[in-house]
Amino acid sequence: MTGPRETALPLPAPRETDGTDLRRAFAEFATGVTVVTVGGPFARGMTANSFSSVSLRPPLLLVCVHNDAVMRRALHPARHFGVSVLSAAQEAVARHFADDSRPVGPQQFDAVGWSPGAATSVPLIDGALARFECEKWRTYDGGDHTILVGAVVGWSRSPGLDPESAGDRATEDALMYFRGRFREQGLRTEGPSR
C-alpha cells in the first residue's frame, strides 16, 4: 500500500491471460450493488459493485469507475457525487443504470424514483438501503479503472433498517451481485452488528 509519503512499488509482470479467467475468479466475491450519480446539466447514473467504506474519521468511501465509462467523464468536472446502496427489490433500477441505451442527461432519472440529496442536491435513488452524498476528495490510478474517494457529507438509511422502528430485524435484503448475476436473496441483518 502507498500512503501520502510512500512510493508505489513496481507492478509484477502480469500472468498471460485473456482476462476471462481472472474475471471469473473476481466474480467469486459476492458484492452489494450501488448506483453512483452526479447531478447538474450532465447528470449521470451508473450501476457499480466496486464500492467500499474506507474510514469513519474522516468519513470516506470509494468507488471504482472504468476509465472508458461515460460516468468517468461525468465525474471529472463534478464536485459532488452520490452513492445509493440498492435493495433486493431494485434489480430493475440496477439494470436501468447498466443499460447503455438509456437516455443521457437528467432524463435517464425519469424512469426511477429519486430525490435530490439534502447536502449536495445529487440524485439519490428512492428506496435504497443507504444513500451517501460525497465531495470528491482524492482520485487514484487503478489500472483500467479510476479509484474515486469521496468525503461523506450526508447520508441516510432506509427506515426499515432502523432498529427503533423495526425491532431487532431488518425488513429488507440487499441486492447482491455474484458470478456475473444479480441475486435477490441478499444478506438479511438479524440484529445490530458490532
Side-chain angles (χ1 to χ4, degrees):
M1 296 183 100
T2 62
R5 296 186 184 135
E6 297 177 19
T7 305
L9 298 174
L11 291 173
R15 187 172 125 186
E16 289 296 318
T17 180
D18 66 358
T20 303
D21 189 47
L22 180 58
R23 181 182 294 270
R24 287 182 181 145
F26 283 152
E28 294 299 322
F29 181 67
T31 68
V33 181
T34 68
V35 172
V36 179
T37 56
V38 294
F42 305 106
R44 184 83 184 163
M46 178 192 81
T47 301
N49 67 331
S50 292
F51 161 82
S52 182
S53 60
V54 174
S55 170
L56 291 175
R57 292 185 189 97
L60 302 172
L61 61 75
L62 70 77
V63 294
C64 298
V65 180
H66 197 281
N67 291 338
D68 294 335
V70 173
M71 184 56 147
R72 184 173 179 277
R73 293 187 298 276
L75 281 162
H76 181 72
R79 181 175 172 200
H80 299 105
F81 67 95
V83 179
S84 298
V85 179
L86 301 184
S87 75
Q90 294 180 303
E91 181 178 340
V93 174
R95 290 188 180 282
H96 172 74
F97 286 106
D99 184 353
D100 290 336
S101 68
R102 71 184 180 281
V104 296
Q107 296 79 13
Q108 68 191 281
F109 291 93
D110 292 347
V112 301
W114 68 277
S115 52
T120 65
S121 297
V122 295
L124 298 172
I125 305 302
D126 292 343
L129 298 177
R131 302 174 346 152
F132 301 95
E133 296 177 77
C134 300
E135 184 171 327
K136 281 197 313 193
W137 189 67
R138 301 277 194 281
T139 58
Y140 299 96
D141 179 358
D144 58 6
H145 281 66
T146 296
I147 303 166
L148 174 63
V149 180
V152 179
V153 297
W155 67 91
S156 64
R157 295 176 64 219
S158 169
L161 298 178
D162 184 357
E164 304 276 326
S165 66
D168 287 337
R169 294 185 58 117
T171 58
E172 301 175 68
D173 280 342
L175 181 60
M176 303 297 291
Y177 195 72
F178 179 62
R179 293 184 178 158
R181 294 182 20 208
F182 292 109
R183 307 289 177 145
E184 290 185 15
Q185 294 298 318
L187 302 174
R188 176 164 285 144
T189 304
E190 296 297 329
S193 61
R194 301 257 179 213

